[in-house]
Amino acid sequence: MEPTKDSTCPPIKNFSEIPNDKKKRYQELISVFQQKYGKQPQFFVQAPGRVNLIGEHIDYCGYSVLPMAVEQNILIAAARSGDDKIFVANKDSNYADFECSTNNLTIAEGTTSWHVYFLCGLKAIEDSGQLQQQMSGLYCMVDGVIPKSAGLSSSSALVCCSALVAAFANNLKFTKSELAELCTVSERYCGTQGGGMDQSIAFMAEEGQAKLITFNPLSATNVQLPSGVVFVVSNSCVEMHKAATANFNIRVVECRLAAQLIAKKLGLDWLQLKKLGDVQKTLKYDLPQMLATVQQLLHAEAYTKQEVCTELGIEEDELNKTSLCGNTLHVQQFKLYNRAMHVFSEANRVHQFKAFCDNPDADVTQKLAKLMNDSHSSCRDLYECSCPELDSLVNICLQSGALGSRLTGAGWGGCAVSMVPTEQLKSFMENVKTKYYQSDSKRAGKVTESLFASKLGNGAAVYELTQN
């Protein structure tokens, strides 16, 4: 199947095109916007969250991933302010208002307030170099229905939504892939070194299709999921804030160091090869050969920082500059073997998953289930990005009738995604509800928004309320 051609911008539609069953939410947001700002919004922008079906922690290594957008999204009602002032509020009063000037879109390192992700979206447009004059000021009201810190990409959806708001307000047009790449880079202002999956599916999703997202160059290919099964999302209710801990960036750095050590040992230009995927391309090996290379060249025990320096022939200061990032400078041990083994095996599972979907046979769901289960085991044991609650939830999902189940998203909390036979969906939901949610008083009240059958959503779009 050929990649989707990326010659289009995110769609611009009229408010009248919003389905009637979804208009109530928009109308409520209009009312809140009017109460806050004393005027009506001029347009809306929505960007979806996502579930990654398989391909965890490999996008930043240069490898393809296989996500799908979900119906849950970030929605922003917006109007141009007529000056350089930006006002941002959230329909949820638990989130503080924010205001700034378009002359000073600065993001302080280490800031974790919710509005920082909104600013990242504005920075994406500012950094694009396409603005011919000062960025328009804005009034914005945000409404998010993606569970926060759940591994469903609520933060990246806000970045993408904000960027599209700024692009539309300033009459700029970008293709979907251009916006995805701009937002991938700009989200790093928050401190996380992500790889681009979340932003890509937010813009490139199509209703009814999962996507194989490939990088360098960015492209998206439709993947038709098998009939007779449904993918169910279940939130562990353990929140993980990527930008608030070093866990995510440590894994990025470990993969970078693994790539550099392999390159160094094979006489390659290790300073230029910072992704495991780039090392593979340079060597022209297949993925099984890369797994064998890891087993041959890297030892299973953790590497000390000094050992890495010795292997690369550099001092610690140079290592800090060439390979580490701000919140990983303190790390003294790196599990390079385990991380590289996960990445290469997970990248292989992604390609197998797509191949099975493209050429389904009578056993296709069993084959996909095994890949999902193997993926979770690898995330748990080799990448160490699961947690006890997630492992328990995955086990309960399998015991409740799921064919395959795995963590989705960064991990250390967040959600699991399970492939469930359609005819067993009702009993599966009841069993998981009883065994995981109702067994804990803190989780019991969150079951409605935490356990749902996932419907494949659309990508980001603009809805005009008035002609401007």
Side-chain angles (χ1 to χ4, degrees), residues 5 17 161 163 190 239 243 290 294 323 325 334-335 353 363 365 415 444 452 461:
K5 292 186 183 297
E17 296 181 62
C161 208
C190 294
E239 293 188 2
M290 290 308 302
V294 173
S323 306
C325 59
F334 304 94
K335 297 185 177 181
F353 196 103
D363 297 322
T365 55
C415 289
F452 56 89

Side-chain angles (χ1 to χ4, degrees), residues 95 99 115 176 181 185-186 191 194 199 246 343 385 431 439 468:
Y95 297 95
E99 62 181 77
H115 68 262
K176 295 174 183 179
E181 290 177 330
V185 174
S186 72
Q199 299 83 1
V343 169
C385 61
N431 284 333
S439 65
N468 298 296

Side-chain angles (χ1 to χ4, degrees), residues 208-242:
Q209 298 285 346
K211 292 280 187 178
L212 178 76
I213 305 290
T214 301
F215 305 95
N216 302 314
L218 178 61
S219 66
T221 304
N222 287 342
V223 177
Q224 185 64 54
L225 299 175
S227 59
V229 293
V230 62
F231 290 87
V232 178
V233 175
S234 49
N235 190 352
S236 69
C237 299
V238 176
E239 293 188 2
M240 200 293 282
H241 303 269
K242 279 192 298 187

Side-chain angles (χ1 to χ4, degrees), residues 88-90 92-98 114-115:
V88 187
N90 198 304
D92 184 340
S93 60
N94 289 313
Y95 297 95
D97 294 355
F98 176 77
W114 76 278
H115 68 262

Side-chain angles (χ1 to χ4, degrees), residues 50-67 195-198 211-213 215 248 342-351 353-354 371-372 374-376 378-379 383 385 406-410 417:
R50 64 96 189 95
V51 168
N52 189 25
L53 297 177
I54 198 159
E56 222 60 73
H57 285 282
I58 62 173
D59 55 344
Y60 51 76
C61 296
Y63 285 107
S64 302
V65 290
L66 212 156
M197 170 179 63
D198 300 346
K211 292 280 187 178
L212 178 76
I213 305 290
F215 305 95
F248 187 93
H342 166 78
V343 169
F344 291 130
S345 61
E346 185 78 348
N348 201 37
R349 283 187 283 270
V350 170
H351 290 294
F353 196 103
K354 183 180 184 298
L371 292 174
M372 293 178 70
D374 288 348
S375 174
H376 183 76
S378 184
C379 287
Y383 223 70
C385 61
R406 59 178 297 276
L407 68 82
T408 185
V417 58

Side-chain angles (χ1 to χ4, degrees), residues 52-341:
N52 189 25
L53 297 177
I54 198 159
E56 222 60 73
H57 285 282
I58 62 173
D59 55 344
Y60 51 76
C61 296
Y63 285 107
S64 302
V65 290
L66 212 156
M68 57 182 266
V70 295
E71 283 193 314
Q72 288 84 345
N73 61 19
I74 299 291
L75 178 64
I76 297 179
R80 300 173 185 85
S81 66
D83 53 27
D84 66 347
K85 298 294 188 292
I86 291 178
F87 302 90
V88 187
N90 198 304
K91 185 182 175 187
D92 184 340
S93 60
N94 289 313
Y95 297 95
D97 294 355
F98 176 77
E99 62 181 77
C100 66
S101 167
T102 57
N103 289 317
N104 187 28
L105 297 178
T106 58
I107 300 174
E109 186 175 346
T111 305
T112 57
S113 299
W114 76 278
H115 68 262
V116 168
Y117 295 100
F118 181 91
L119 288 177
C120 284
L122 302 188
K123 288 290 288 181
I125 302 307
E126 182 180 71
D127 292 348
S128 73
Q130 297 301 307
L131 284 165
Q132 300 300 310
Q133 55 191 16
Q134 185 175 332
M135 183 182 290
S136 171
L138 292 163
Y139 295 100
C140 293
M141 180 65 68
V142 179
D143 178 32
V145 292
I146 307 169
K148 66 174 184 173
S149 304
L152 299 180
S153 192
S154 59
S155 56
S156 294
L158 179 54
V159 174
C160 295
C161 208
S162 168
L164 190 50
V165 166
F168 183 77
N170 289 278
N171 301 310
L172 300 177
K173 288 188 176 181
F174 300 90
T175 67
K176 295 174 183 179
S177 64
E178 286 172 341
L179 281 168
E181 290 177 330
L182 286 167
C183 289
T184 298
V185 174
S186 72
E187 190 168 336
R188 293 172 188 160
Y189 283 113
C190 294
T192 53
Q193 304 289 307
M197 170 179 63
D198 300 346
Q199 299 83 1
S200 300
I201 193 64
F203 287 111
M204 304 174 91
E206 295 178 72
E207 190 172 4
Q209 298 285 346
K211 292 280 187 178
L212 178 76
I213 305 290
T214 301
F215 305 95
N216 302 314
L218 178 61
S219 66
T221 304
N222 287 342
V223 177
Q224 185 64 54
L225 299 175
S227 59
V229 293
V230 62
F231 290 87
V232 178
V233 175
S234 49
N235 190 352
S236 69
C237 299
V238 176
E239 293 188 2
M240 200 293 282
H241 303 269
K242 279 192 298 187
T245 73
N247 288 338
F248 187 93
N249 283 352
I250 289 171
R251 298 304 185 275
V252 176
V253 163
E254 287 175 319
C255 291
R256 185 179 300 152
L257 291 174
Q260 291 177 318
L261 256 68
I262 293 170
K264 174 76 172 180
K265 288 174 180 289
L266 293 175
L268 304 175
D269 186 354
W270 67 269
L271 279 170
Q272 298 302 315
L273 295 173
K274 296 188 176 184
K275 294 181 179 180
L276 290 165
D278 291 340
V279 174
Q280 183 194 355
K281 286 180 183 177
T282 302
L283 293 171
K284 297 181 181 179
Y285 287 179
D286 61 22
L287 287 164
Q289 285 176 305
M290 290 308 302
L291 287 165
T293 299
V294 173
Q295 292 172 322
Q296 178 185 357
L297 298 181
L298 300 181
H299 58 65
E301 300 78 22
Y303 284 74
T304 66
K305 193 172 188 179
Q306 183 56 54
E307 186 179 5
V308 172
C309 290
T310 301
E311 291 272 6
L312 294 176
I314 58 176
E315 298 298 324
E316 184 173 323
D317 285 349
E318 188 175 352
L319 182 74
N320 291 341
K321 293 176 183 176
T322 60
S323 306
L324 307 191
C325 59
N327 66 347
T328 66
L329 297 176
H330 68 285
V331 181
Q332 294 299 314
Q333 289 195 322
F334 304 94
K335 297 185 177 181
L336 308 188
Y337 177 93
N338 284 1
R339 309 316 185 216
M341 291 295 288

